[in-house]
Amino acid sequence: MGWSTRELAELGGTTLRAVRHYHAVGLLPEPERRANGYKQYGVSHLVKVLRIKRLTDLGFSLGQIEAMGETDDHPEEALRTLDAELVETIDRLQRARVELGTIIRRAAPADLPVELGAAVTQTAVLSDADRSFMVVMSRVLGPQGLQAFADMLAQTERDETFDEFDALPPDADEAAREELAERMVPAVHAMYTDHSGLYAAAVADGPRDQRLTVDVVGEAMRELYNEAQRDVIRRTRDLAGPPPN
Amino acid sequence: MGWSTRELAELGGTTLRAVRHYHAVGLLPEPERRANGYKQYGVSHLVKVLRIKRLTDLGFSLGQIEAMGETDDHPEEALRTLDAELVETIDRLQRARVELGTIIRRAAPADLPVELGAAVTQTAVLSDADRSFMVVMSRVLGPQGLQAFADMLAQTERDETFDEFDALPPDADEAAREELAERMVPAVHAMYTDHSGLYAAAVADGPRDQRLTVDVVGEAMRELYNEAQRDVIRRTRDLAGPPPN
DNA sequence: TTGCTCCTCACGTCACGTGAGGTGGC
DNA sequence: TTGCTCCTCACGTCACGTGAGGTGGC
């Protein structure tokens, strides 16, 4: 003759705490009590719990269920809205799965866009600074620029002068800087000519604010490379001439 | 020379509050302050925020990201576990979409299993008690029993004696009860013979506890139908004989 | 008396959102 | 002085989960 809270929960396919929560938010009326204060539920409560269970399983929030009231059997609008949200969510999760799949197959780093992942694992000799620089670039470049950048990295032979560059101490004297810059020119020139579209692509679909791109790249350069290295970059750029186009 | 919290958030593609939250949970170190107490972020922070953004977008929790540490590029196990969870979630949402689609197409009640929905809308004359009874049954019966039950309802012609039954007052005298029972026999008999598999199906794959089924159905009967109605059901059952097989 | 159930607070979870109240910079 | 940004609490969100501390039933 009447069910306990736990029994109601089990009959409704839910939990003790959920039933009490439905009381708290006013979705489920409290039943009569026995002499000892125990709650005593009837079929009407079970029907309400089953209704809530059904609707939450479909994806409705408790607030929406309350808003429907007990009378509205078929809230057309809400049903369509929910369906659209489900499509959205499923899409997003599926895109995540695609990325995950690529990462797993290629054993690529999980925290980098997959386009960059390939470049990083192939030319496994990137310095920490280079890697950080690329993470920043991956955000600043648009998809096209990112791809072009990754292609360039993947196809560039690791020149031994790059290692010297990475190891260059901040107090390297002018002669050493100029000498390194001169020896780097051929490799840098090769990068440019093999990937003459890079600059255009990077500028083409970079995100919203162009100044922001420049600022961020400049800031990254300052923080990731020491003074001597930045000087070498400048010297190399002057020697190699401006990027084509 | 360093970014503000808002700038860092925008560069990282996230929000002010998220950045502060990452501080609070220890995922992001606090940067140096300016003389006025304002935070001043650098590229290292941007790199960390971008990493967090990337991993949360894939579906990792902040706790998991913390557990990975900064060194573990490719947490194989975690990646596979996450993928499995995504499959689970996507599946569940897709099942919900299938149900939603059916409900929308058939303009069926959202809070009933679709099998019952058809029966309810077709024989639109179910009393509230009948409807509640069916909701309870839909939980107590297994899928086979539910389907059989729905088929029976959908194919049963609404007999005019059913309306009399619904309207029967609790204090109806014995003569009235016996008389109604006798007139209901043909309709009830037809239901039985057209759907002789119902009882078997209901018992076949009913959920776990058989006693529970009996208790629930009995309770529902007691609460949804008045004394006279229950008496008529008993009399009709006696007159119509036991269910076949 | 022991073990199990029921009850009511009330804090915890997760990843932030949203003011409240006060101050710095131009 | 006004308007905008930055700061630090601190409570709110959502749907419950998880004890804490006490009592009833057999």
Side-chain angles (χ1 to χ4, degrees), chain A residues 2-3 10-11 13 42-43 51 54 73-74 79-80 83 87 97 99-100 103-104 107-108 110-112 131 139 216 219-220 223, chain B residues 2-3 10-11 13 42-43 51 54 73-74 79-80 83 87 97 99-100 103-104 107-108 110-112 131 139 216 219-220 223:
Chain A
W3 299 299
E10 281 173 12
L11 289 173
V43 171
R51 171 184 159 87
R54 166 90 177 141
D73 254 15
H74 186 74
L79 290 167
R80 294 194 187 280
D83 191 55
V87 170
R97 272 206 74 202
E99 297 261 303
L100 265 183
I103 291 170
I104 292 174
D111 56 350
L112 257 52
R131 200 187 147 141
R139 169 73 184 156
V216 171
E219 183 76 22
E223 211 175 307
Chain B
W3 298 300
E10 281 173 11
L11 290 173
V43 171
R51 171 186 159 87
R54 166 91 177 139
D73 253 14
H74 187 74
L79 290 166
R80 294 194 186 280
D83 190 56
V87 170
R97 273 208 73 202
E99 297 262 304
L100 265 183
I103 291 169
I104 292 174
D111 57 349
L112 257 52
R131 199 188 148 141
R139 168 72 185 158
V216 171
E219 184 76 21
E223 211 175 307

Short mmCIF file of all heavy atoms in Angstrom, two decimals, chain A residues 2-3 10-11 13 42-43 51 54 73-74 79-80 83 87 97 99-100 103-104 107-108 110-112 131 139 216 219-220 223, chain B residues 2-3 10-11 13 42-43 51 54 73-74 79-80 83 87 97 99-100 103-104 107-108 110-112 131 139 216 219-220 223:
data_model
loop_
_atom_site.label_atom_id
_atom_site.label_comp_id
_atom_site.label_asym_id
_atom_site.label_seq_id
_atom_site.Cartn_x
_atom_site.Cartn_y
_atom_site.Cartn_z
N GLY A 2 1.34 1.63 -1.13
CA GLY A 2 2.19 2.81 -1.23
C GLY A 2 3.65 2.42 -1.18
O GLY A 2 4.04 1.44 -0.54
N TRP A 3 4.46 3.20 -1.89
CA TRP A 3 5.88 2.86 -1.99
C TRP A 3 6.74 3.84 -1.23
O TRP A 3 6.39 5.01 -1.07
CB TRP A 3 6.29 2.87 -3.47
CG TRP A 3 5.54 1.88 -4.30
CD1 TRP A 3 5.53 0.53 -4.15
CD2 TRP A 3 4.71 2.16 -5.44
NE1 TRP A 3 4.74 -0.05 -5.11
CE2 TRP A 3 4.22 0.92 -5.92
CE3 TRP A 3 4.33 3.32 -6.11
CZ2 TRP A 3 3.39 0.82 -7.03
CZ3 TRP A 3 3.49 3.21 -7.20
CH2 TRP A 3 3.02 1.98 -7.65
N GLU A 10 13.29 3.12 -7.80
CA GLU A 10 13.60 1.92 -8.58
C GLU A 10 12.53 1.65 -9.62
O GLU A 10 12.83 1.30 -10.76
CB GLU A 10 13.76 0.73 -7.64
CG GLU A 10 15.14 0.72 -6.99
CD GLU A 10 15.29 -0.35 -5.92
OE1 GLU A 10 14.42 -1.24 -5.84
OE2 GLU A 10 16.28 -0.29 -5.17
N LEU A 11 11.26 1.82 -9.22
CA LEU A 11 10.19 1.62 -10.20
C LEU A 11 10.31 2.63 -11.34
O LEU A 11 9.98 2.32 -12.48
CB LEU A 11 8.83 1.77 -9.51
CG LEU A 11 8.47 0.64 -8.55
CD1 LEU A 11 7.19 0.97 -7.79
CD2 LEU A 11 8.30 -0.67 -9.31
N GLY A 13 13.06 3.86 -12.41
CA GLY A 13 14.31 3.72 -13.13
C GLY A 13 15.26 4.87 -12.87
O GLY A 13 16.09 5.23 -13.70
N GLY A 42 2.27 6.98 -4.39
CA GLY A 42 1.26 6.22 -5.11
C GLY A 42 1.53 6.22 -6.60
O GLY A 42 2.57 6.70 -7.06
N VAL A 43 0.58 5.68 -7.34
CA VAL A 43 0.73 5.54 -8.78
C VAL A 43 0.88 6.90 -9.47
O VAL A 43 1.63 7.04 -10.42
CB VAL A 43 -0.47 4.76 -9.37
CG1 VAL A 43 -0.44 4.80 -10.89
CG2 VAL A 43 -0.45 3.33 -8.88
N ARG A 51 7.35 10.10 -16.38
CA ARG A 51 7.29 11.18 -17.37
C ARG A 51 8.59 12.00 -17.36
O ARG A 51 9.18 12.27 -18.40
CB ARG A 51 6.09 12.09 -17.04
CG ARG A 51 6.03 13.37 -17.84
CD ARG A 51 4.85 14.24 -17.36
NE ARG A 51 5.02 15.62 -17.71
CZ ARG A 51 4.63 16.14 -18.89
NH1 ARG A 51 4.06 15.37 -19.77
NH2 ARG A 51 4.84 17.41 -19.15
N ARG A 54 11.46 9.95 -18.83
CA ARG A 54 11.35 9.89 -20.28
C ARG A 54 11.85 11.19 -20.92
O ARG A 54 12.64 11.17 -21.86
CB ARG A 54 9.90 9.63 -20.65
CG ARG A 54 9.53 9.84 -22.06
CD ARG A 54 9.70 8.58 -22.87
NE ARG A 54 9.26 8.78 -24.24
CZ ARG A 54 9.87 8.27 -25.28
NH1 ARG A 54 10.94 7.52 -25.11
NH2 ARG A 54 9.43 8.49 -26.49
N ASP A 73 1.29 17.78 -24.20
CA ASP A 73 1.78 16.48 -24.63
C ASP A 73 2.88 16.57 -25.66
O ASP A 73 3.80 15.77 -25.67
CB ASP A 73 0.62 15.75 -25.33
CG ASP A 73 0.08 14.67 -24.47
OD1 ASP A 73 0.39 14.70 -23.28
OD2 ASP A 73 -0.64 13.82 -24.98
N HIS A 74 2.70 17.52 -26.55
CA HIS A 74 3.50 17.52 -27.76
C HIS A 74 3.97 18.94 -28.08
O HIS A 74 3.42 19.60 -28.96
CB HIS A 74 2.67 16.97 -28.93
CG HIS A 74 3.46 16.80 -30.18
ND1 HIS A 74 4.38 15.78 -30.33
CD2 HIS A 74 3.51 17.51 -31.32
CE1 HIS A 74 4.94 15.88 -31.53
NE2 HIS A 74 4.43 16.92 -32.15
N LEU A 79 10.39 20.52 -29.17
CA LEU A 79 10.92 19.28 -29.74
C LEU A 79 11.90 19.59 -30.87
O LEU A 79 12.98 18.99 -30.94
CB LEU A 79 9.76 18.43 -30.26
CG LEU A 79 8.86 17.81 -29.19
CD1 LEU A 79 7.58 17.25 -29.81
CD2 LEU A 79 9.59 16.70 -28.44
N ARG A 80 11.52 20.54 -31.71
CA ARG A 80 12.39 20.88 -32.84
C ARG A 80 13.67 21.57 -32.36
O ARG A 80 14.76 21.33 -32.87
CB ARG A 80 11.65 21.77 -33.84
CG ARG A 80 10.50 21.06 -34.52
CD ARG A 80 9.99 21.81 -35.74
NE ARG A 80 8.79 21.17 -36.25
CZ ARG A 80 8.80 20.09 -37.03
NH1 ARG A 80 9.94 19.55 -37.39
NH2 ARG A 80 7.67 19.55 -37.46
N ASP A 83 15.95 18.99 -30.96
CA ASP A 83 16.55 18.20 -32.03
C ASP A 83 17.71 18.96 -32.66
O ASP A 83 18.77 18.40 -32.91
CB ASP A 83 15.50 17.85 -33.09
CG ASP A 83 16.03 16.82 -34.07
OD1 ASP A 83 16.46 15.74 -33.61
OD2 ASP A 83 16.04 17.09 -35.29
N VAL A 87 21.67 17.89 -32.84
CA VAL A 87 22.47 17.87 -34.08
C VAL A 87 23.77 18.63 -33.86
O VAL A 87 24.86 18.14 -34.18
CB VAL A 87 21.67 18.50 -35.24
CG1 VAL A 87 22.58 18.70 -36.45
CG2 VAL A 87 20.49 17.62 -35.61
N ARG A 97 36.02 13.62 -32.53
CA ARG A 97 36.44 12.23 -32.78
C ARG A 97 37.36 12.14 -34.00
O ARG A 97 38.31 11.36 -34.01
CB ARG A 97 35.23 11.34 -33.03
CG ARG A 97 34.64 10.77 -31.77
CD ARG A 97 33.93 9.46 -32.09
NE ARG A 97 34.85 8.38 -32.34
CZ ARG A 97 34.57 7.29 -33.03
NH1 ARG A 97 33.39 7.14 -33.57
NH2 ARG A 97 35.46 6.35 -33.19
N GLU A 99 39.39 14.41 -35.10
CA GLU A 99 40.70 14.91 -34.67
C GLU A 99 41.42 13.85 -33.83
O GLU A 99 42.58 13.55 -34.06
CB GLU A 99 40.53 16.17 -33.82
CG GLU A 99 39.92 17.34 -34.54
CD GLU A 99 40.97 18.33 -35.02
OE1 GLU A 99 41.72 18.84 -34.18
OE2 GLU A 99 41.03 18.58 -36.24
N LEU A 100 40.67 13.31 -32.88
CA LEU A 100 41.25 12.28 -32.01
C LEU A 100 41.79 11.12 -32.83
O LEU A 100 42.88 10.61 -32.57
CB LEU A 100 40.18 11.75 -31.05
CG LEU A 100 40.11 12.39 -29.67
CD1 LEU A 100 39.04 11.69 -28.85
CD2 LEU A 100 41.45 12.31 -28.97
N ILE A 103 45.00 12.01 -34.47
CA ILE A 103 46.07 12.08 -33.47
C ILE A 103 46.56 10.69 -33.10
O ILE A 103 47.75 10.42 -33.02
CB ILE A 103 45.57 12.82 -32.21
CG1 ILE A 103 45.35 14.30 -32.53
CG2 ILE A 103 46.55 12.66 -31.06
CD1 ILE A 103 44.63 15.06 -31.44
N ILE A 104 45.59 9.78 -32.89
CA ILE A 104 45.96 8.43 -32.47
C ILE A 104 46.70 7.70 -33.60
O ILE A 104 47.75 7.10 -33.39
CB ILE A 104 44.71 7.63 -32.05
CG1 ILE A 104 44.12 8.23 -30.76
CG2 ILE A 104 45.05 6.17 -31.84
CD1 ILE A 104 42.79 7.62 -30.34
N ALA A 107 50.11 9.07 -34.06
CA ALA A 107 50.86 9.26 -32.82
C ALA A 107 51.32 10.70 -32.69
O ALA A 107 52.44 10.99 -32.29
CB ALA A 107 52.03 8.29 -32.74
N ALA A 108 50.43 11.62 -33.06
CA ALA A 108 50.76 13.04 -33.06
C ALA A 108 50.51 13.64 -31.68
O ALA A 108 49.72 13.10 -30.90
CB ALA A 108 49.91 13.76 -34.10
N ALA A 110 48.82 15.63 -28.85
CA ALA A 110 47.40 15.91 -28.70
C ALA A 110 47.11 17.40 -28.58
O ALA A 110 46.00 17.83 -28.87
CB ALA A 110 46.85 15.17 -27.48
N ASP A 111 48.08 18.16 -28.15
CA ASP A 111 47.80 19.56 -27.85
C ASP A 111 48.14 20.50 -29.01
O ASP A 111 48.11 21.70 -28.85
CB ASP A 111 48.52 20.00 -26.58
CG ASP A 111 50.02 19.76 -26.68
OD1 ASP A 111 50.44 19.08 -27.65
OD2 ASP A 111 50.75 20.24 -25.81
N LEU A 112 48.44 19.91 -30.18
CA LEU A 112 48.73 20.73 -31.35
C LEU A 112 47.73 20.43 -32.45
O LEU A 112 47.26 19.30 -32.57
CB LEU A 112 50.12 20.41 -31.88
CG LEU A 112 51.25 21.38 -31.58
CD1 LEU A 112 51.32 21.68 -30.10
CD2 LEU A 112 52.57 20.81 -32.07
N ARG A 131 58.91 25.33 -30.98
CA ARG A 131 57.61 24.69 -30.78
C ARG A 131 56.59 25.69 -30.23
O ARG A 131 55.46 25.77 -30.70
CB ARG A 131 57.75 23.52 -29.81
CG ARG A 131 56.60 22.57 -29.94
CD ARG A 131 56.61 21.48 -28.90
NE ARG A 131 55.23 21.18 -28.59
CZ ARG A 131 54.76 19.97 -28.37
NH1 ARG A 131 55.55 18.95 -28.36
NH2 ARG A 131 53.48 19.80 -28.12
N ARG A 139 47.58 29.70 -33.89
CA ARG A 139 46.38 30.45 -33.50
C ARG A 139 46.24 31.71 -34.34
O ARG A 139 45.14 32.15 -34.65
CB ARG A 139 46.49 30.80 -32.01
CG ARG A 139 45.49 31.79 -31.51
CD ARG A 139 44.11 31.21 -31.40
NE ARG A 139 43.16 32.23 -30.99
CZ ARG A 139 41.88 32.20 -31.22
NH1 ARG A 139 41.34 31.17 -31.83
NH2 ARG A 139 41.10 33.18 -30.83
N VAL A 216 51.32 39.95 -31.93
CA VAL A 216 51.53 38.68 -31.27
C VAL A 216 52.82 38.03 -31.76
O VAL A 216 53.62 37.53 -30.97
CB VAL A 216 50.34 37.72 -31.51
CG1 VAL A 216 50.66 36.34 -31.01
CG2 VAL A 216 49.11 38.26 -30.82
N GLU A 219 55.74 39.91 -30.30
CA GLU A 219 55.90 39.60 -28.88
C GLU A 219 56.52 38.22 -28.70
O GLU A 219 57.41 38.03 -27.87
CB GLU A 219 54.52 39.64 -28.21
CG GLU A 219 54.54 39.40 -26.72
CD GLU A 219 55.02 40.62 -25.94
OE1 GLU A 219 54.95 41.73 -26.49
OE2 GLU A 219 55.49 40.43 -24.80
N ALA A 220 56.04 37.27 -29.50
CA ALA A 220 56.56 35.91 -29.39
C ALA A 220 58.04 35.88 -29.74
O ALA A 220 58.84 35.22 -29.06
CB ALA A 220 55.78 34.98 -30.32
N GLU A 223 60.09 37.24 -26.92
CA GLU A 223 60.17 36.46 -25.70
C GLU A 223 60.86 35.10 -25.89
O GLU A 223 61.42 34.56 -24.96
CB GLU A 223 58.76 36.25 -25.14
CG GLU A 223 58.75 36.15 -23.63
CD GLU A 223 57.34 36.07 -23.10
OE1 GLU A 223 56.50 36.95 -23.46
OE2 GLU A 223 57.06 35.14 -22.35
N GLY B 2 53.72 42.46 -22.91
CA GLY B 2 52.87 41.72 -22.00
C GLY B 2 51.41 42.01 -22.24
O GLY B 2 51.05 43.12 -22.63
N TRP B 3 50.57 41.01 -22.01
CA TRP B 3 49.15 41.17 -22.28
C TRP B 3 48.33 41.21 -21.00
O TRP B 3 48.72 40.61 -19.99
CB TRP B 3 48.66 40.01 -23.15
CG TRP B 3 49.32 39.94 -24.48
CD1 TRP B 3 49.31 40.90 -25.44
CD2 TRP B 3 50.11 38.86 -25.00
NE1 TRP B 3 50.03 40.49 -26.53
CE2 TRP B 3 50.52 39.24 -26.30
CE3 TRP B 3 50.49 37.61 -24.51
CZ2 TRP B 3 51.31 38.43 -27.11
CZ3 TRP B 3 51.26 36.79 -25.31
CH2 TRP B 3 51.67 37.19 -26.58
N GLU B 10 41.43 36.61 -25.19
CA GLU B 10 41.05 36.74 -26.59
C GLU B 10 42.05 36.06 -27.51
O GLU B 10 41.68 35.37 -28.46
CB GLU B 10 40.89 38.22 -26.96
CG GLU B 10 39.56 38.78 -26.49
CD GLU B 10 39.42 40.28 -26.68
OE1 GLU B 10 40.28 40.87 -27.37
OE2 GLU B 10 38.47 40.86 -26.12
N LEU B 11 43.32 36.25 -27.20
CA LEU B 11 44.34 35.57 -28.01
C LEU B 11 44.20 34.05 -27.90
O LEU B 11 44.45 33.32 -28.85
CB LEU B 11 45.74 35.99 -27.55
CG LEU B 11 46.13 37.44 -27.88
CD1 LEU B 11 47.45 37.80 -27.22
CD2 LEU B 11 46.22 37.62 -29.39
N GLY B 13 41.44 32.51 -27.43
CA GLY B 13 40.13 32.07 -27.91
C GLY B 13 39.24 31.60 -26.78
O GLY B 13 38.38 30.73 -26.95
N GLY B 42 52.73 36.67 -20.68
CA GLY B 42 53.69 36.54 -21.79
C GLY B 42 53.34 35.37 -22.68
O GLY B 42 52.29 34.74 -22.52
N VAL B 43 54.23 35.10 -23.61
CA VAL B 43 53.99 34.05 -24.59
C VAL B 43 53.85 32.68 -23.93
O VAL B 43 53.05 31.85 -24.36
CB VAL B 43 55.13 34.03 -25.63
CG1 VAL B 43 55.02 32.81 -26.53
CG2 VAL B 43 55.10 35.30 -26.47
N ARG B 51 47.07 25.40 -25.24
CA ARG B 51 47.12 23.96 -24.99
C ARG B 51 45.85 23.51 -24.28
O ARG B 51 45.21 22.52 -24.66
CB ARG B 51 48.36 23.64 -24.15
CG ARG B 51 48.43 22.22 -23.64
CD ARG B 51 49.64 22.05 -22.70
NE ARG B 51 49.49 20.93 -21.81
CZ ARG B 51 49.84 19.68 -22.12
NH1 ARG B 51 50.35 19.43 -23.30
NH2 ARG B 51 49.66 18.70 -21.27
N ARG B 54 42.85 23.68 -26.63
CA ARG B 54 42.87 22.57 -27.58
C ARG B 54 42.38 21.28 -26.91
O ARG B 54 41.55 20.55 -27.45
CB ARG B 54 44.30 22.40 -28.09
CG ARG B 54 44.59 21.14 -28.82
CD ARG B 54 44.36 21.28 -30.27
NE ARG B 54 44.71 20.08 -30.99
CZ ARG B 54 44.01 19.58 -31.98
NH1 ARG B 54 42.95 20.21 -32.41
NH2 ARG B 54 44.38 18.48 -32.58
N ASP B 73 52.93 14.38 -24.28
CA ASP B 73 52.38 14.85 -25.55
C ASP B 73 51.23 14.00 -26.05
O ASP B 73 50.29 14.50 -26.64
CB ASP B 73 53.47 14.72 -26.62
CG ASP B 73 54.00 16.06 -26.98
OD1 ASP B 73 53.72 16.98 -26.22
OD2 ASP B 73 54.68 16.17 -28.00
N HIS B 74 51.40 12.70 -25.85
CA HIS B 74 50.51 11.77 -26.54
C HIS B 74 50.08 10.67 -25.58
O HIS B 74 50.59 9.54 -25.63
CB HIS B 74 51.27 11.16 -27.73
CG HIS B 74 50.38 10.31 -28.59
ND1 HIS B 74 49.44 10.84 -29.44
CD2 HIS B 74 50.28 8.97 -28.73
CE1 HIS B 74 48.83 9.86 -30.07
NE2 HIS B 74 49.31 8.71 -29.65
N LEU B 79 43.64 9.01 -24.63
CA LEU B 79 43.05 9.33 -25.93
C LEU B 79 42.02 8.27 -26.32
O LEU B 79 40.93 8.59 -26.78
CB LEU B 79 44.14 9.42 -27.00
CG LEU B 79 45.08 10.63 -26.89
CD1 LEU B 79 46.31 10.44 -27.76
CD2 LEU B 79 44.35 11.90 -27.27
N ARG B 80 42.38 7.02 -26.10
CA ARG B 80 41.45 5.94 -26.48
C ARG B 80 40.23 5.92 -25.57
O ARG B 80 39.11 5.70 -26.02
CB ARG B 80 42.17 4.58 -26.43
CG ARG B 80 43.26 4.45 -27.48
CD ARG B 80 43.73 3.01 -27.65
NE ARG B 80 44.86 2.97 -28.55
CZ ARG B 80 44.77 3.01 -29.88
NH1 ARG B 80 43.58 3.10 -30.45
NH2 ARG B 80 45.85 2.97 -30.64
N ASP B 83 37.95 8.67 -26.63
CA ASP B 83 37.27 8.33 -27.87
C ASP B 83 36.10 7.39 -27.60
O ASP B 83 35.01 7.56 -28.14
CB ASP B 83 38.24 7.69 -28.85
CG ASP B 83 37.64 7.55 -30.24
OD1 ASP B 83 37.21 8.57 -30.80
OD2 ASP B 83 37.55 6.41 -30.75
N VAL B 87 32.12 8.00 -28.33
CA VAL B 87 31.25 7.07 -29.06
C VAL B 87 29.99 6.81 -28.26
O VAL B 87 28.87 6.88 -28.78
CB VAL B 87 32.00 5.73 -29.32
CG1 VAL B 87 31.04 4.69 -29.86
CG2 VAL B 87 33.14 5.96 -30.30
N ARG B 97 17.70 11.22 -30.76
CA ARG B 97 17.23 11.89 -31.98
C ARG B 97 16.24 11.01 -32.74
O ARG B 97 15.27 11.51 -33.32
CB ARG B 97 18.40 12.22 -32.91
CG ARG B 97 19.06 13.53 -32.62
CD ARG B 97 19.68 14.07 -33.89
NE ARG B 97 18.70 14.56 -34.83
CZ ARG B 97 18.91 14.70 -36.14
NH1 ARG B 97 20.09 14.35 -36.65
NH2 ARG B 97 17.97 15.15 -36.92
N GLU B 99 14.20 8.80 -31.50
CA GLU B 99 12.93 8.89 -30.78
C GLU B 99 12.23 10.22 -31.07
O GLU B 99 11.04 10.26 -31.39
CB GLU B 99 13.19 8.79 -29.27
CG GLU B 99 13.78 7.48 -28.82
CD GLU B 99 12.73 6.53 -28.28
OE1 GLU B 99 12.02 6.91 -27.35
OE2 GLU B 99 12.62 5.40 -28.81
N LEU B 100 13.01 11.29 -30.96
CA LEU B 100 12.46 12.62 -31.21
C LEU B 100 11.85 12.70 -32.60
O LEU B 100 10.76 13.24 -32.79
CB LEU B 100 13.56 13.67 -31.10
CG LEU B 100 13.74 14.38 -29.76
CD1 LEU B 100 14.82 15.43 -29.87
CD2 LEU B 100 12.43 15.01 -29.33
N ILE B 103 8.58 10.94 -32.72
CA ILE B 103 7.56 11.72 -32.00
C ILE B 103 7.07 12.88 -32.85
O ILE B 103 5.87 13.14 -32.94
CB ILE B 103 8.14 12.25 -30.67
CG1 ILE B 103 8.38 11.10 -29.70
CG2 ILE B 103 7.21 13.29 -30.05
CD1 ILE B 103 9.18 11.48 -28.48
N ILE B 104 8.01 13.60 -33.47
CA ILE B 104 7.63 14.76 -34.28
C ILE B 104 6.82 14.32 -35.50
O ILE B 104 5.75 14.89 -35.79
CB ILE B 104 8.90 15.54 -34.72
CG1 ILE B 104 9.57 16.19 -33.51
CG2 ILE B 104 8.53 16.60 -35.75
CD1 ILE B 104 10.89 16.85 -33.81
N ALA B 107 3.44 13.21 -34.51
CA ALA B 107 2.76 14.11 -33.56
C ALA B 107 2.33 13.34 -32.32
O ALA B 107 1.24 13.52 -31.78
CB ALA B 107 1.56 14.79 -34.21
N ALA B 108 3.21 12.46 -31.86
CA ALA B 108 2.93 11.61 -30.72
C ALA B 108 3.27 12.32 -29.42
O ALA B 108 4.07 13.25 -29.42
CB ALA B 108 3.73 10.31 -30.83
N ALA B 110 5.17 13.30 -26.22
CA ALA B 110 6.61 13.21 -25.99
C ALA B 110 6.95 12.38 -24.76
O ALA B 110 8.05 11.85 -24.66
CB ALA B 110 7.20 14.61 -25.86
N ASP B 111 6.02 12.29 -23.84
CA ASP B 111 6.35 11.65 -22.57
C ASP B 111 5.97 10.18 -22.51
O ASP B 111 6.03 9.56 -21.46
CB ASP B 111 5.70 12.43 -21.40
CG ASP B 111 4.19 12.52 -21.58
OD1 ASP B 111 3.71 12.18 -22.67
OD2 ASP B 111 3.53 12.93 -20.63
N LEU B 112 5.59 9.62 -23.67
CA LEU B 112 5.25 8.19 -23.72
C LEU B 112 6.19 7.48 -24.68
O LEU B 112 6.62 8.08 -25.67
CB LEU B 112 3.82 8.02 -24.22
CG LEU B 112 2.73 7.70 -23.21
CD1 LEU B 112 2.75 8.69 -22.07
CD2 LEU B 112 1.38 7.70 -23.90
N ARG B 131 -4.75 6.01 -19.32
CA ARG B 131 -3.47 6.52 -19.77
C ARG B 131 -2.39 6.33 -18.70
O ARG B 131 -1.28 5.87 -18.99
CB ARG B 131 -3.60 8.01 -20.11
CG ARG B 131 -2.47 8.46 -20.99
CD ARG B 131 -2.46 9.96 -21.19
NE ARG B 131 -1.08 10.33 -21.34
CZ ARG B 131 -0.63 11.25 -22.19
NH1 ARG B 131 -1.46 11.90 -22.94
NH2 ARG B 131 0.64 11.50 -22.27
N ARG B 139 6.47 0.68 -18.25
CA ARG B 139 7.70 0.49 -17.48
C ARG B 139 7.82 -0.95 -17.00
O ARG B 139 8.90 -1.51 -16.90
CB ARG B 139 7.68 1.44 -16.29
CG ARG B 139 8.71 1.21 -15.24
CD ARG B 139 10.09 1.61 -15.71
NE ARG B 139 11.07 1.26 -14.69
CZ ARG B 139 12.35 1.08 -14.93
NH1 ARG B 139 12.84 1.21 -16.14
NH2 ARG B 139 13.17 0.76 -13.95
N VAL B 216 3.09 -3.94 -8.73
CA VAL B 216 2.88 -2.63 -9.33
C VAL B 216 1.55 -2.57 -10.06
O VAL B 216 0.79 -1.61 -9.92
CB VAL B 216 4.03 -2.27 -10.29
CG1 VAL B 216 3.71 -1.01 -11.07
CG2 VAL B 216 5.32 -2.10 -9.52
N GLU B 219 -1.25 -2.49 -7.54
CA GLU B 219 -1.32 -1.17 -6.92
C GLU B 219 -1.97 -0.16 -7.86
O GLU B 219 -2.81 0.64 -7.46
CB GLU B 219 0.10 -0.72 -6.54
CG GLU B 219 0.16 0.59 -5.80
CD GLU B 219 -0.25 0.47 -4.34
OE1 GLU B 219 -0.19 -0.65 -3.80
OE2 GLU B 219 -0.64 1.49 -3.75
N ALA B 220 -1.54 -0.24 -9.11
CA ALA B 220 -2.07 0.70 -10.11
C ALA B 220 -3.58 0.50 -10.26
O ALA B 220 -4.35 1.47 -10.31
CB ALA B 220 -1.37 0.52 -11.45
N GLU B 223 -5.44 1.95 -7.34
CA GLU B 223 -5.45 3.40 -7.22
C GLU B 223 -6.17 4.10 -8.38
O GLU B 223 -6.71 5.19 -8.22
CB GLU B 223 -4.01 3.92 -7.12
CG GLU B 223 -3.92 5.18 -6.29
CD GLU B 223 -2.49 5.60 -6.09
OE1 GLU B 223 -1.67 4.76 -5.64
OE2 GLU B 223 -2.18 6.75 -6.43
#
